[in-house]
Amino acid sequence: MDIPARRWLIVAGVSVVVAVLVYVFAVLTATGQSLENAALRGADQYGDTARNAADTNLGQITVYSLACAVIAVAVIGLLRRRWELAVAAVGVIVAGQVVTQGLKRYVLPRPGLVPLVGHYAENSLPSGHTTIAMTVLFAALIVAPYRWRGVALFLFLGWAASIGSYTVTAKWHRLSDTLAADAISLALACIASWWLARCGLVHRYEGRRRIPRVLIVVFTALAGLTALALGLLLLIVPLSRYGLDDVLRNETWDVYLVAQSLASAGSIAAALVFLATWRRKRT
C-alpha cells in the first residue's frame, strides 16, 4: 500500500478512537453527563431570538436539502468525468447517515448516571445534523478540482461549523454529539479518500502554491484556535476558582459557552485535518 493511501487509514483509525473516547467520557461517566446537562441548562439563559435563529437554521436541513446536496456533488464528479469521485462523495454523505442513525438508535446506550427527566434523557450521540453538515463539506472537498478546493472550504466550512454550534444553542444536541459526529464524518471521508487513492486516482500536485488558499487555511486555523482557547479558558477558570460542584450549580452559562465554542472548534479541526491529508494531492 502506498504512503498517500495509508495516511487516510491512519487518520480514519484515530478518528474512530476519538469518537469512542468522547462517548466514554461524556456518556458513560457521571462527570461528563453532569457537565453536558449543565450546558443544556445554560442554553436556557439565551434569548428567544438566538434560539429561534438556531431552530430556523437547523430546520433548513431536511431530506430534500440533503438530496439536493447528494445530487450536486454527484453531478460535479460526473462533470469531471470521474464516476469514482461521484461514488466516493455520495458514499460519504449516505454512509454518514447510516452510521450515525444506526449508532444513535440501536447501538449506543445512555445510562442514567445523573438525575434527568424528559427527552434529554434519551441518547442523541452522534448528531445527525452535524454529520450531514460535515459530510457535505467533506464530499465537496473530495469532488472539487485542486484549484477550487480552497473555495469549497471557504464556502462550506462556516456553515458546517455553525450547525454544530446551533445544535447546542437549540438544545437539540450536546457537545459530545457534535464532536462524535465530526470524528465519524472525518473517518468516513478518509475511507473514501483511501479508496480513491487505491483506485489510482490521487496524484501529487506539482504546481505552485496558491496564496489565496493558504490565506483561507491560515484564517480558518486561527478561528479554530480562538474557539478552542475560549472554550478551554471558560472551563478552566471557573473550575479552578469554584470547583466542579459549584460550577454545575451556578455557572451553567459558562458551561454552555464552553460547549458552543468547542463544538465550533471540533468541526473546524476535523475540516483542517481532512484538508491536510489532501495537501498537494489532486484527482
Side-chain angles (χ1 to χ4, degrees), residues 20-224:
V20 171
L21 292 177
V22 167
Y23 172 73
V24 169
F25 172 74
V27 179
L28 300 184
T29 69
T31 299
Q33 287 194 11
S34 297
L35 283 170
E36 295 205 300
N37 293 344
L40 292 177
R41 296 195 301 274
D44 288 331
Q45 301 178 42
Y46 223 128
D48 290 337
T49 301
R51 284 198 299 270
N52 290 337
D55 286 334
T56 299
N57 281 277
L58 293 173
Q60 292 174 353
I61 298 180
T62 64
V63 173
Y64 302 106
S65 62
L66 181 59
C68 290
V70 169
I71 293 172
V73 296
V75 168
I76 293 173
L78 294 176
L79 287 176
R80 295 188 61 194
R81 299 180 180 180
R82 299 286 182 81
W83 66 267
E84 296 93 342
L85 290 180
V87 170
V90 170
V92 169
I93 298 175
V94 174
Q97 287 309 294
V98 172
V99 173
T100 296
Q101 299 302 327
L103 290 175
K104 178 164 52 179
R105 296 176 185 273
Y106 306 112
V107 178
L108 302 179
R110 178 175 291 274
L113 302 180
V114 296
L116 187 65
V117 297
H119 69 278
Y120 296 125
E122 300 173 1
N123 181 49
S124 56
L125 184 148
S127 165
H129 281 74
T130 304
T131 301
I132 289 175
M134 295 303 294
T135 53
V136 168
L137 167 63
F138 292 145
L141 293 176
I142 288 173
V143 298
Y146 184 86
R147 68 179 61 184
W148 293 103
R149 201 174 291 157
V151 175
L153 179 72
F154 176 78
L155 292 177
F156 287 99
L157 180 56
W159 167 74
S162 67
I163 291 300
S165 178
Y166 284 142
T167 62
V168 177
T169 299
K171 301 200 299 183
W172 288 24
H173 285 286
R174 303 168 176 85
L175 170 63
S176 61
D177 303 343
T178 69
L179 296 180
D182 291 332
I184 291 170
S185 301
L186 177 57
L188 294 172
C190 285
I191 292 173
S193 302
W194 169 81
W195 178 71
L196 290 173
R198 293 291 293 169
C199 290
L201 297 178
V202 179
H203 309 284
R204 180 170 178 80
Y205 176 75
E206 301 293 349
R208 62 183 179 84
R209 180 177 298 178
R210 297 182 177 275
I211 301 302
R213 185 167 64 183
V214 173
L215 294 177
I216 291 173
V217 172
V218 170
F219 175 80
T220 302
L222 290 176

Side-chain angles (χ1 to χ4, degrees), residues 225-240:
L225 289 173
T226 300
L228 176 62
L230 178 61
L232 293 177
L233 184 66
L234 289 172
L235 177 64
I236 293 173
V237 171
L239 284 176
S240 61

Side-chain angles (χ1 to χ4, degrees), residues 8 11 15 138 186 190 267-278:
W8 281 298
V11 175
S15 299
F138 292 145
L186 177 57
C190 285
S267 296
I268 293 173
L272 290 178
V273 168
F274 184 66
L275 191 66
T277 65
W278 278 90

